Every structure is written in C-alpha cells, then in structure tokens.
Amino acid sequence: MSIDTAKGILGDATVAELEADLRGTVVRAGDPGYDRARAVWNAAHDKHPALVVRCAGTADVVRAVEFARSQDLLVAVRGGAHSIAGFSTCDDGIVIDLSPMKGAVVDPAGRRVVAQPGLTWGELDRETQASGLAVTGGLVSTTGISGFTLGGGVGWLLRRHGLASDNLTAAEVVTADGRVVRADAHENSELFWALRGGGGNFGVVTSLEYRLHPVGPQVLAGLIVYPVEQARRVLEGWRELIAGMPDELTTLVDLTTAPPLPFLPPEVHGTRVVVLAGMYAGDPAAGEAAVGPLRRLGTPIADLMAPMPYTAMQSLLDPLWTAGAHNYFTSAFIEPSDAALDAVLRRHLTTPTPFSEVHLHQLGGAFARVPADATAFSQREPGVLCNVIARSPGATDFGAHVSWARETRAEIARHGHGAMYVNFTGDAAEDKVRASYPDAVRERLVRVKDDFDPTNMFRLNQNIRPSAAAS
C-alpha cells in the first residue's frame, strides 16, 4: 500500500528498498504496532508519521537520513520520546527512532562511558552505578539521555558536577548529508561546542561519551513537605540557605498539590503544599550538617530526607510522571528577590489542576563556574531556574492550562533577564529561541548550522535557522 505524505506518495517498492537496507525495522500506518511506535510520552502531541524507522545502529541512521533527504520528508528524531514540545514525532514525515540503540560501555579506570542515544537515564545509571560512577542525569529516570544532554541537562548533580552537557566529552553525529563525524575538543570543535546546549539542530547523535564521577551508591536525599501556610517562610529561609550551601548539595522547591501518597496524612491529600527536594552528592554522614537547616525551615508534614541508593533518588519522582498525560513546560532564569517570591507564591495559588506546579531549581556551584562561552549553554548566572508546569490527565481544558503556564512564566520572568531553559520552552517559536540564546551565541550557532545542516533538514527542535533559511 502506498503512503501519502505532505510531499507526495511513497510507493511500496520504495519503502521495501529502505527496509531491506536496515538491520532495524520500518513501521508504517496500518502495520501491527503502528500506534505503539508513534506514541510519545507527552500525549498533547498526537501525530501520525508516514514512517517510523526503528534503528539498530549508526548505519541504519545514515540510511534513514539519506532516505528522508531523497524523498524530501520532514524528519523527527526520537530518543526517549520525552520532548515537551513534541519534537520526537511529526505528521506525514519520518521518525528516526533511536530507542533500540541501548549500548553502553563503561571504563571505570578512565571514568568514562560511551553510550548510545536510545538509553534512558535509569538504564544508563544502572550501568555506571555498577562501578560507583554517575553523570548528571534527569529528575525522571525514563527521560532519554540524548535530548536531555543536547539541551543542557539539569539534575541532582548540577552543583557538584555541572550539567549533563558539561560532562559530554565527545559525540558521534550523522549529518544532514549522511556523513558520520566525531565531535570533541579537537575534532569538529565548533560542532562540539554547539552540541552542548544547542539541541538537535546539527544532526542525529548516535553516540555520547561522558565524563563520570564517583557518586553513591548511597546518597543523602529525598523530600521534606511543608504546608502551604508556611510557604513564604520556607522560601525565604531556603533563599538564605542556598547562598552558602556546599556544592555537594543541590535542592529544588516544588510548589504543588499533595498527591494521595501513604507517607502523607489523608487530610493533606489534594491540598497545596511546598516540597523541598534535594540530594547531597557526597558522604551521607557529612551531608547531615548541610541538610539539617532544611528540616528547620518550618514544621514539616513529612520528612523523607534520608540515606538511599543514588538510583532510588533518580527514580523517586517517576510514579508522578508517567506517560500519557498532556504536558506543557516553560521556564525562566530568575533572581529569587522578594518580588520574585511574591510572584511565585501568587501564581502557585492559581494552578488549574492538581498536577500543575511551579519549581525553583537551585543553580550555582560547578554549573556557574563553567565559562559562559565554553558551551552553547551560556546562562551561567548562579541564581534560580523557575520551571512552570501545566499537566492534565486528558485534553479537556488543556488550552486554558497552557495559557496559565504562559501567563505564570511571563509574570515570574520579569524578575530575571528573560532567558529560558531550552529543554523547557514548551513549543517551537522564534521568540523561544531568542529567549534561550543571547545574540552572540545564536549567531555562532547559525554558523555551525550553516556548516552541518544548511538546508535545515533538522528543524524539529528549538530551531537555529541556517543563513539560507533566514534570508
């Protein structure tokens, strides 16, 4: 059966020729498993690609890119399929699905790992923790490593070891013309600079090499839950504490609604609360002195800050972030002034669903010591990253929830310099790109784009348009 696409018709013979060249498989509309193959984590994006190419290795990726170019197909690249803005899928085009590519080779002596892009953070952590090592990963273990890293990568090791992208030491990339290139500090160094924060603009990353660090296996980590009535006191106390926290400790304040979890009293379920989450990336015994003041910011409803396996902390939030809900995230880098905290608290009281939240993620430490021009992730001020999350189990009124998130971001962002975190920009638009990269960084990214993707084949991302497309 032929396939209609936005650019024309793909005949059976054309698709069969592609499939014959692959170790992986091709899934098309009408095939068994098509709906499963096209599904992504964020149900707000219900797309119907013409083809999903499930790649078994780099050669399959090369062939898929060549096929997309020859047929003039829109290209979406999928790793963990967690793209908030829906970049992991498309209508009518081709999805280059990297999820079958899950190899990892850990070098304990050299403290390096070479990882394939289909891995999730939970899968990679399992491999590296076998040697007592880790790199900054996502707050939800089902997140894919590749997109997370290319956009920066904020996690519990940020203040101790920097972003995930700060620990990327090399990458293998399939470019728009089907070449396989290596990017590191010496070879294709401008591409290497761009990959660390510039997103998926420059090709399909088929291998990532990370620097690893001794972490765990036990860490001091967890949650402290305070009632909303103490929110102002908790936020002000947290602000004072983060100014002098050791780099080993990374914290996050989550203004949310208490879920019906067994460790919370039933009378608290469904009420607004303030959750202080954190992890001390060092000796748990030494961490008690750093964590102690967090316990005394108010009168906790629950205190779940305790020694636990690093992998347990990495997956602690997973039950709250399962696939299938509608999600919209947006963000702003801010300074936690009195006015900023007022805005955060005010907007928290207007959350449209029990699943919508405002996060304040502590920065500083190793993150802030990376020179602003060292990578494409140039927002290195030691302030706070505010993430605004609209989440709903279904589509009903989701548009209104998105409007709440955008309005919340606009109000809170007045207390910063306007920049956004590229992984949490919600949707694709030119203004989002301009809010993610300073002008000089964006101009440098354009030059890299001109070298490696001058026709903008890879445009399902926070797109850096090449010069030809911008003119």
Side-chain angles (χ1 to χ4, degrees):
M1 180 180 68
S2 298
I3 302 170
D4 290 319
T5 73
K7 301 291 186 179
I9 296 176
L10 291 176
D12 280 348
T14 303
V15 177
E17 183 180 353
L18 166 65
E19 193 161 22
D21 286 344
L22 302 174
R23 280 200 302 125
T25 58
V26 176
V27 184
R28 67 205 97 184
D31 286 350
Y34 173 75
D35 283 336
R36 184 172 63 254
R38 72 180 182 86
V40 293
W41 178 83
N42 186 0
H45 306 288
D46 184 21
K47 304 291 188 180
H48 292 79
L51 301 173
V52 178
V53 178
R54 292 177 52 78
C55 298
T58 298
D60 283 0
V61 175
V62 172
R63 184 67 184 94
V65 168
E66 292 172 343
F67 184 85
R69 187 176 66 248
S70 68
Q71 302 298 321
D72 197 18
L73 292 173
L74 180 64
V75 173
V77 181
R78 175 184 303 167
H82 270 240
S83 170
I84 299 300
F87 298 140
S88 304
T89 187
C90 61
D91 281 325
D92 298 326
I94 183 171
V95 173
I96 300 177
D97 183 0
L98 309 175
S99 63
M101 298 172 60
K102 291 185 178 294
V105 179
V106 179
D107 173 10
R111 294 184 180 174
R112 293 287 190 275
V113 60
V114 178
Q116 289 189 303
L119 288 164
T120 65
W121 280 108
E123 292 164 341
L124 184 59
D125 287 339
R126 183 176 185 272
E127 299 299 323
T128 62
Q129 277 290 281
S131 301
L133 301 170
V135 64
T136 306
L139 303 183
V140 176
S141 73
T142 57
T143 304
I145 68 170
S146 185
F148 176 88
T149 301
L150 298 179
V154 172
W156 296 121
L157 293 173
L158 172 143
R159 288 173 41 76
R160 185 72 176 94
H161 298 301
L163 298 166
S165 59
D166 296 335
N167 290 281
L168 188 70
T169 56
E172 179 185 84
V173 184
V174 177
T175 63
D177 57 3
R179 290 180 297 136
V180 180
V181 303
R182 178 180 171 86
D184 59 27
H186 307 289
E187 189 174 353
N188 295 305
S189 58
E190 277 297 283
L191 175 60
F192 181 54
W193 171 86
L195 291 173
R196 291 172 293 161
N201 272 283
F202 312 102
V204 185
V205 174
T206 50
S207 176
L208 304 101
E209 181 181 294
Y210 296 99
R211 181 186 305 110
L212 298 175
H213 308 275
V215 176
Q218 292 284 308
V219 294
L220 181 61
L223 312 172
I224 304 171
V225 183
Y226 290 100
V228 72
E229 293 79 13
Q230 298 176 21
R232 181 75 197 206
R233 174 183 170 186
V234 170
L235 285 180
E236 289 181 347
W238 174 75
R239 178 180 61 188
E240 292 179 12
L241 290 174
I242 63 176
M245 275 186 185
D247 291 355
E248 289 85 356
L249 182 58
T250 297
T251 61
L252 177 152
V253 175
D254 180 4
L255 294 99
T256 186
T257 300
L261 296 174
F263 60 80
L264 295 175
E267 62 270 20
V268 173
H269 296 173
T271 67
R272 288 186 170 88
V273 293
V274 181
V275 178
L276 204 161
M279 189 184 85
Y280 185 87
D283 180 0
E288 285 291 346
V291 167
L294 299 175
R295 307 182 195 274
R296 299 188 290 272
L297 293 177
T299 304
I301 298 168
D303 183 346
L304 297 155
M305 190 76 70
M308 65 176 70
Y310 172 73
T311 52
M313 185 57 184
Q314 283 291 88
S315 58
L316 189 68
L317 304 180
D318 288 5
L320 302 177
W321 298 97
T322 54
H326 283 58
N327 296 270
Y328 180 87
F329 292 13
T330 185
S331 61
F333 290 92
I334 65 169
E335 288 297 326
S337 64
D338 286 347
L341 297 184
D342 286 340
V344 167
L345 291 169
R346 186 165 52 248
R347 296 305 299 183
H348 170 50
L349 296 177
T350 68
T351 48
T353 75
F355 314 100
S356 298
E357 305 177 344
V358 181
H359 295 175
L360 297 175
H361 202 297
Q362 179 189 7
L363 301 175
F367 164 86
R369 288 194 291 273
V370 175
D373 62 353
T375 73
F377 195 111
S378 59
Q379 311 295 345
R380 297 291 177 166
E381 295 80 0
V384 167
L385 174 60
C386 179
N387 297 325
V388 181
I389 297 171
R391 181 172 168 86
S392 175
T396 303
D397 296 326
F398 186 63
H401 305 336
V402 171
S403 295
W404 168 83
R406 289 172 175 162
E407 292 163 5
T408 297
R409 191 266 170 191
E411 182 171 345
I412 294 172
R414 298 188 188 111
H415 306 286
H417 48 71
M420 304 179 81
Y421 172 36
V422 69
N423 280 345
F424 284 0
T425 49
D427 44 25
E430 182 69 21
D431 65 316
K432 303 296 189 301
V433 176
R434 291 188 178 277
S436 301
Y437 303 106
D439 288 346
V441 173
R442 186 168 51 82
E443 290 166 6
R444 188 174 173 185
L445 288 169
V446 169
R447 292 194 292 272
V448 180
K449 184 76 168 180
D450 287 345
D451 287 341
F452 290 94
D453 186 20
T455 64
N456 210 14
M457 171 182 277
F458 302 109
R459 57 187 178 274
L460 286 183
N461 42 54
Q462 298 302 342
N463 194 225
I464 302 298
R465 298 171 66 191
S467 300
S471 60

